[in-house]
Short mmCIF file of all heavy atoms in Angstrom, two decimals:
data_model
loop_
_atom_site.label_atom_id
_atom_site.label_comp_id
_atom_site.label_asym_id
_atom_site.label_seq_id
_atom_site.Cartn_x
_atom_site.Cartn_y
_atom_site.Cartn_z
N LYS A 1 44.85 23.14 139.81
CA LYS A 1 44.05 22.49 140.75
C LYS A 1 42.59 22.57 140.55
O LYS A 1 41.80 21.83 141.11
CB LYS A 1 44.32 23.02 142.17
CG LYS A 1 44.17 24.62 142.26
CD LYS A 1 44.49 25.16 143.60
CE LYS A 1 44.28 26.66 143.55
NZ LYS A 1 44.64 27.20 144.91
N ASN A 2 42.11 23.48 139.75
CA ASN A 2 40.66 23.58 139.40
C ASN A 2 40.32 22.72 138.18
O ASN A 2 39.24 22.76 137.83
CB ASN A 2 40.29 25.01 139.16
CG ASN A 2 40.41 25.97 140.36
OD1 ASN A 2 40.20 25.45 141.45
ND2 ASN A 2 40.97 27.16 140.14
N GLY A 3 41.40 22.02 137.53
CA GLY A 3 41.15 21.18 136.41
C GLY A 3 41.07 21.86 135.16
O GLY A 3 40.66 21.40 134.13
N GLU A 4 41.40 23.15 135.08
CA GLU A 4 41.46 23.92 133.76
C GLU A 4 42.85 23.77 133.09
O GLU A 4 43.90 23.62 133.66
CB GLU A 4 41.23 25.43 134.03
CG GLU A 4 39.90 25.66 134.72
CD GLU A 4 39.73 27.17 135.05
OE1 GLU A 4 40.62 27.85 134.86
OE2 GLU A 4 38.54 27.49 135.39
N PHE A 5 42.78 23.76 131.76
CA PHE A 5 44.07 23.64 130.94
C PHE A 5 44.82 24.95 130.89
O PHE A 5 44.21 25.98 130.86
CB PHE A 5 43.66 23.19 129.56
CG PHE A 5 43.12 21.76 129.46
CD1 PHE A 5 41.82 21.47 129.32
CD2 PHE A 5 44.01 20.81 129.33
CE1 PHE A 5 41.36 20.17 129.24
CE2 PHE A 5 43.67 19.56 129.25
CZ PHE A 5 42.27 19.09 129.16
N PHE A 6 46.15 24.69 131.05
CA PHE A 6 47.00 25.82 130.71
C PHE A 6 47.11 25.84 129.19
O PHE A 6 46.65 24.92 128.46
CB PHE A 6 48.31 25.67 131.42
CG PHE A 6 48.35 26.11 132.90
CD1 PHE A 6 48.54 25.16 133.81
CD2 PHE A 6 48.20 27.40 133.16
CE1 PHE A 6 48.45 25.50 135.12
CE2 PHE A 6 48.10 27.76 134.55
CZ PHE A 6 48.26 26.83 135.49
N LYS A 7 47.95 26.81 128.79
CA LYS A 7 48.18 26.92 127.26
C LYS A 7 48.85 25.74 126.79
O LYS A 7 49.88 25.29 127.35
CB LYS A 7 48.97 28.15 126.96
CG LYS A 7 49.09 28.54 125.58
CD LYS A 7 49.80 29.75 125.32
CE LYS A 7 49.91 30.07 123.92
NZ LYS A 7 50.64 31.29 123.61
N ALA A 8 48.35 25.01 125.72
CA ALA A 8 49.08 23.77 125.05
C ALA A 8 49.13 24.05 123.59
O ALA A 8 48.76 25.11 123.07
CB ALA A 8 48.11 22.67 125.34
N ARG A 9 49.53 22.96 122.87
CA ARG A 9 49.82 23.15 121.45
C ARG A 9 48.52 23.07 120.67
O ARG A 9 47.83 22.07 120.61
CB ARG A 9 50.80 21.98 120.86
CG ARG A 9 52.22 22.16 121.42
CD ARG A 9 53.16 21.21 120.73
NE ARG A 9 52.74 19.75 120.99
CZ ARG A 9 53.36 18.86 120.57
NH1 ARG A 9 54.36 18.98 119.64
NH2 ARG A 9 53.01 17.53 120.81
N PRO A 10 48.08 24.18 120.04
CA PRO A 10 46.76 24.23 119.45
C PRO A 10 46.69 23.32 118.24
O PRO A 10 45.62 22.84 117.87
CB PRO A 10 46.69 25.79 118.96
CG PRO A 10 48.03 26.24 118.98
CD PRO A 10 48.84 25.49 119.98
N SER A 11 47.76 23.10 117.45
CA SER A 11 47.79 22.22 116.26
C SER A 11 47.35 20.78 116.68
O SER A 11 46.55 20.15 115.94
CB SER A 11 48.97 22.22 115.51
OG SER A 11 50.04 21.81 116.39
N PHE A 12 47.90 20.22 117.72
CA PHE A 12 47.55 18.93 118.10
C PHE A 12 46.13 18.86 118.63
O PHE A 12 45.40 17.83 118.33
CB PHE A 12 48.46 18.40 119.23
CG PHE A 12 48.14 17.02 119.76
CD1 PHE A 12 48.61 15.96 119.13
CD2 PHE A 12 47.37 16.95 120.85
CE1 PHE A 12 48.31 14.70 119.52
CE2 PHE A 12 47.06 15.70 121.37
CZ PHE A 12 47.51 14.52 120.67
N ARG A 13 45.74 19.77 119.21
CA ARG A 13 44.22 19.89 119.86
C ARG A 13 43.31 19.85 118.56
O ARG A 13 42.19 19.11 118.56
CB ARG A 13 44.07 21.07 120.69
CG ARG A 13 42.66 21.05 121.29
CD ARG A 13 42.47 22.14 122.36
NE ARG A 13 42.58 23.49 121.83
CZ ARG A 13 42.52 24.60 122.47
NH1 ARG A 13 42.30 24.56 123.70
NH2 ARG A 13 42.71 25.72 121.83
N ALA A 14 43.63 20.71 117.54
CA ALA A 14 42.71 20.71 116.37
C ALA A 14 42.74 19.29 115.69
O ALA A 14 41.68 18.82 115.28
CB ALA A 14 43.23 21.85 115.41
N GLU A 15 43.91 18.72 115.66
CA GLU A 15 44.04 17.45 114.87
C GLU A 15 43.28 16.41 115.65
O GLU A 15 42.51 15.52 115.04
CB GLU A 15 45.48 17.02 114.77
CG GLU A 15 45.72 15.65 114.08
CD GLU A 15 47.21 15.39 113.95
OE1 GLU A 15 48.03 16.23 114.34
OE2 GLU A 15 47.51 14.19 113.40
N PHE A 16 43.39 16.50 117.00
CA PHE A 16 42.68 15.47 117.83
C PHE A 16 41.24 15.54 117.68
O PHE A 16 40.44 14.60 117.57
CB PHE A 16 43.20 15.55 119.31
CG PHE A 16 42.47 14.59 120.24
CD1 PHE A 16 42.81 13.36 120.29
CD2 PHE A 16 41.41 15.03 121.04
CE1 PHE A 16 42.30 12.35 121.11
CE2 PHE A 16 40.77 14.12 121.86
CZ PHE A 16 41.19 12.85 121.92
N GLN A 17 40.71 16.83 117.73
CA GLN A 17 39.29 17.06 117.65
C GLN A 17 38.73 16.64 116.22
O GLN A 17 37.66 16.12 116.09
CB GLN A 17 39.05 18.51 117.77
CG GLN A 17 39.24 18.96 119.29
CD GLN A 17 38.97 20.50 119.50
OE1 GLN A 17 38.80 21.22 118.55
NE2 GLN A 17 38.87 20.92 120.78
N CYS A 18 39.57 16.89 115.22
CA CYS A 18 39.26 16.53 113.79
C CYS A 18 39.11 14.95 113.72
O CYS A 18 38.08 14.44 113.14
CB CYS A 18 40.14 17.03 112.84
SG CYS A 18 39.83 16.64 111.10
N ARG A 19 40.11 14.21 114.28
CA ARG A 19 39.98 12.83 114.14
C ARG A 19 38.72 12.39 114.99
O ARG A 19 38.09 11.28 114.55
CB ARG A 19 41.30 12.26 114.68
CG ARG A 19 42.53 12.35 113.84
CD ARG A 19 43.70 11.73 114.44
NE ARG A 19 44.90 11.89 113.56
CZ ARG A 19 46.05 11.48 113.90
NH1 ARG A 19 46.30 10.85 114.98
NH2 ARG A 19 47.10 11.61 113.11
N SER A 20 38.62 12.87 116.11
CA SER A 20 37.37 12.41 116.89
C SER A 20 36.20 12.62 116.25
O SER A 20 35.23 11.74 116.16
CB SER A 20 37.50 13.15 118.26
OG SER A 20 36.38 12.85 119.10
N TRP A 21 36.07 13.77 115.51
CA TRP A 21 34.81 14.07 114.88
C TRP A 21 34.63 13.21 113.63
O TRP A 21 33.63 12.63 113.40
CB TRP A 21 34.82 15.57 114.34
CG TRP A 21 33.60 15.81 113.39
CD1 TRP A 21 32.36 16.29 113.78
CD2 TRP A 21 33.71 15.82 112.06
NE1 TRP A 21 31.62 16.45 112.64
CE2 TRP A 21 32.38 16.18 111.53
CE3 TRP A 21 34.77 15.56 111.05
CZ2 TRP A 21 32.11 16.23 110.25
CZ3 TRP A 21 34.40 15.56 109.76
CH2 TRP A 21 33.12 15.97 109.22
N PHE A 22 35.71 12.92 112.80
CA PHE A 22 35.62 12.09 111.66
C PHE A 22 35.28 10.58 112.08
O PHE A 22 34.54 9.97 111.41
CB PHE A 22 37.06 12.02 111.00
CG PHE A 22 37.05 11.38 109.68
CD1 PHE A 22 36.58 11.71 108.49
CD2 PHE A 22 37.55 10.00 109.76
CE1 PHE A 22 36.51 11.02 107.43
CE2 PHE A 22 37.48 9.13 108.57
CZ PHE A 22 37.10 9.66 107.40
N GLY A 23 35.97 10.09 113.27
CA GLY A 23 35.53 8.75 113.68
C GLY A 23 34.08 8.67 114.11
O GLY A 23 33.46 7.60 113.87
N LYS A 24 33.61 9.78 114.72
CA LYS A 24 32.21 9.62 115.17
C LYS A 24 31.25 9.65 113.99
O LYS A 24 30.33 8.88 113.91
CB LYS A 24 31.97 10.92 116.04
CG LYS A 24 30.49 11.07 116.45
CD LYS A 24 30.38 12.34 117.23
CE LYS A 24 28.89 12.60 117.65
NZ LYS A 24 28.60 13.83 118.33
N GLN A 25 31.64 10.54 112.91
CA GLN A 25 30.74 10.61 111.69
C GLN A 25 30.80 9.25 110.93
O GLN A 25 29.84 8.72 110.36
CB GLN A 25 31.24 11.76 110.78
CG GLN A 25 31.10 13.12 111.48
CD GLN A 25 29.58 13.34 111.76
OE1 GLN A 25 29.16 13.38 112.95
NE2 GLN A 25 28.81 13.61 110.78
N LEU A 26 32.05 8.70 110.77
CA LEU A 26 32.22 7.37 110.07
C LEU A 26 31.45 6.28 110.74
O LEU A 26 30.88 5.47 110.09
CB LEU A 26 33.67 7.06 109.95
CG LEU A 26 34.01 5.82 109.22
CD1 LEU A 26 33.52 5.99 107.78
CD2 LEU A 26 35.54 5.59 109.18
N ARG A 27 31.48 6.23 112.09
CA ARG A 27 30.82 5.21 112.85
C ARG A 27 29.32 5.45 112.57
O ARG A 27 28.50 4.40 112.39
CB ARG A 27 31.10 5.19 114.31
CG ARG A 27 30.44 4.19 115.08
CD ARG A 27 30.82 4.32 116.63
NE ARG A 27 30.03 3.32 117.39
CZ ARG A 27 30.49 1.99 117.54
NH1 ARG A 27 31.65 1.72 116.97
NH2 ARG A 27 29.74 1.19 118.18
N GLY A 28 28.79 6.59 112.64
CA GLY A 28 27.38 6.88 112.50
C GLY A 28 26.89 6.44 111.09
O GLY A 28 25.85 5.91 110.87
N LEU A 29 27.77 6.78 110.05
CA LEU A 29 27.53 6.42 108.61
C LEU A 29 27.46 4.97 108.50
O LEU A 29 26.49 4.38 107.92
CB LEU A 29 28.58 7.08 107.71
CG LEU A 29 28.39 6.63 106.31
CD1 LEU A 29 27.09 7.14 105.73
CD2 LEU A 29 29.56 7.15 105.44
N CYS A 30 28.42 4.26 109.05
CA CYS A 30 28.43 2.74 108.99
C CYS A 30 27.31 2.12 109.65
O CYS A 30 26.70 1.11 109.26
CB CYS A 30 29.77 2.29 109.56
SG CYS A 30 31.28 2.57 108.62
N ASP A 31 26.77 2.76 110.68
CA ASP A 31 25.68 2.18 111.51
C ASP A 31 24.40 2.35 110.76
O ASP A 31 23.46 1.50 110.86
CB ASP A 31 25.62 2.91 112.81
CG ASP A 31 24.76 2.13 113.80
OD1 ASP A 31 24.69 0.87 113.71
OD2 ASP A 31 24.09 2.87 114.57
N ILE A 32 24.13 3.31 109.89
CA ILE A 32 22.87 3.53 109.27
C ILE A 32 22.82 3.33 107.77
O ILE A 32 21.83 3.21 107.17
CB ILE A 32 22.37 4.98 109.51
CG1 ILE A 32 23.38 6.05 108.98
CG2 ILE A 32 22.20 5.20 110.99
CD1 ILE A 32 22.95 6.47 107.58
N THR A 33 24.09 3.18 107.05
CA THR A 33 24.12 3.02 105.63
C THR A 33 23.58 1.70 105.20
O THR A 33 23.58 0.70 105.89
CB THR A 33 25.48 3.30 105.18
OG1 THR A 33 25.47 3.23 103.67
CG2 THR A 33 26.49 2.08 105.52
N ALA A 34 23.16 1.74 103.94
CA ALA A 34 22.60 0.52 103.24
C ALA A 34 23.72 -0.28 102.59
O ALA A 34 23.50 -1.37 102.05
CB ALA A 34 21.56 0.83 102.27
N LEU A 35 24.98 0.27 102.60
CA LEU A 35 26.14 -0.53 102.05
C LEU A 35 26.34 -1.80 102.79
O LEU A 35 26.25 -1.83 103.93
CB LEU A 35 27.41 0.32 102.18
CG LEU A 35 27.47 1.52 101.29
CD1 LEU A 35 28.74 2.38 101.64
CD2 LEU A 35 27.44 1.24 99.77
N HIS A 36 26.50 -2.85 101.95
CA HIS A 36 26.48 -4.23 102.59
C HIS A 36 27.78 -4.37 103.51
O HIS A 36 28.90 -4.04 103.13
CB HIS A 36 26.73 -5.22 101.40
CG HIS A 36 25.46 -5.15 100.47
ND1 HIS A 36 24.24 -4.84 100.79
CD2 HIS A 36 25.36 -5.51 99.13
CE1 HIS A 36 23.46 -4.83 99.87
NE2 HIS A 36 24.09 -5.36 98.70
N GLY A 37 27.39 -4.84 104.69
CA GLY A 37 28.64 -5.18 105.58
C GLY A 37 29.09 -4.13 106.48
O GLY A 37 29.78 -4.36 107.51
N TYR A 38 28.83 -2.87 106.31
CA TYR A 38 29.47 -1.82 107.01
C TYR A 38 28.86 -1.79 108.46
O TYR A 38 29.51 -1.44 109.45
CB TYR A 38 29.24 -0.44 106.31
CG TYR A 38 30.36 -0.26 105.13
CD1 TYR A 38 30.05 -0.90 103.96
CD2 TYR A 38 31.38 0.44 105.32
CE1 TYR A 38 30.97 -0.70 102.91
CE2 TYR A 38 32.32 0.69 104.31
CZ TYR A 38 32.07 0.12 103.07
OH TYR A 38 33.03 0.28 102.07
N SER A 39 27.52 -2.09 108.46
CA SER A 39 26.87 -1.96 109.79
C SER A 39 27.37 -3.15 110.68
O SER A 39 27.40 -2.98 111.97
CB SER A 39 25.34 -2.13 109.75
OG SER A 39 24.95 -3.27 109.05
N GLN A 40 27.87 -4.27 110.10
CA GLN A 40 28.28 -5.35 110.89
C GLN A 40 29.65 -5.05 111.55
O GLN A 40 30.00 -5.59 112.64
CB GLN A 40 28.48 -6.71 110.02
CG GLN A 40 27.33 -7.01 109.25
CD GLN A 40 26.08 -7.46 110.14
OE1 GLN A 40 26.43 -8.01 111.25
NE2 GLN A 40 24.96 -7.32 109.75
N ILE A 41 30.38 -4.17 110.93
CA ILE A 41 31.81 -3.71 111.44
C ILE A 41 31.57 -3.02 112.81
O ILE A 41 32.46 -3.26 113.62
CB ILE A 41 32.66 -2.93 110.49
CG1 ILE A 41 32.79 -3.69 109.22
CG2 ILE A 41 33.85 -2.44 110.99
CD1 ILE A 41 33.40 -3.06 108.08
N VAL A 42 30.53 -2.11 112.90
CA VAL A 42 30.52 -1.33 114.08
C VAL A 42 29.29 -1.73 115.03
O VAL A 42 28.90 -1.02 115.97
CB VAL A 42 30.21 0.14 113.75
CG1 VAL A 42 31.43 0.68 112.81
CG2 VAL A 42 28.91 0.27 112.81
N ARG A 43 28.81 -3.03 114.77
CA ARG A 43 27.61 -3.44 115.57
C ARG A 43 28.15 -3.85 117.02
O ARG A 43 29.10 -4.39 117.15
CB ARG A 43 27.01 -4.62 114.99
CG ARG A 43 25.84 -5.23 115.75
CD ARG A 43 25.05 -6.23 114.97
NE ARG A 43 24.33 -5.56 113.85
CZ ARG A 43 23.46 -6.14 112.95
NH1 ARG A 43 23.30 -7.36 113.06
NH2 ARG A 43 22.94 -5.41 112.05
N ASP A 44 27.34 -3.25 117.98
CA ASP A 44 27.64 -3.59 119.40
C ASP A 44 27.42 -5.07 119.61
O ASP A 44 26.64 -5.71 119.05
CB ASP A 44 26.79 -2.82 120.26
CG ASP A 44 27.00 -1.28 120.20
OD1 ASP A 44 28.17 -1.00 119.78
OD2 ASP A 44 26.03 -0.44 120.45
N GLY A 45 28.32 -5.55 120.54
CA GLY A 45 28.23 -7.05 120.93
C GLY A 45 29.11 -7.98 120.11
O GLY A 45 29.21 -9.11 120.49
#
């Protein structure tokens, strides 16, 4: 009722966090890199 997690599967949590971090880093790289076309893939709008 306080919104705190009970004990869950730690492997899935680590995998989810890794994917989330990798996606964040990849988006940031595509946004600032000089490689042709990558910034267009993640451009807002």
Side-chain angles (χ1 to χ4, degrees):
K1 57 184 178 181
N2 295 324
E4 296 180 352
F5 286 100
F6 282 113
K7 187 176 181 181
R9 290 190 297 178
S11 61
F12 177 81
R13 183 170 64 179
E15 181 181 354
F16 179 79
Q17 290 177 350
C18 181
R19 288 182 179 179
S20 176
W21 172 84
F22 183 81
K24 178 183 176 183
Q25 296 300 105
L26 183 59
R27 180 182 179 86
L29 176 63
C30 292
D31 196 31
I32 62 94
T33 185
L35 290 173
H36 300 330
Y38 284 81
S39 62
Q40 305 294 333
I41 297 175
V42 298
R43 177 167 294 182
D44 295 333

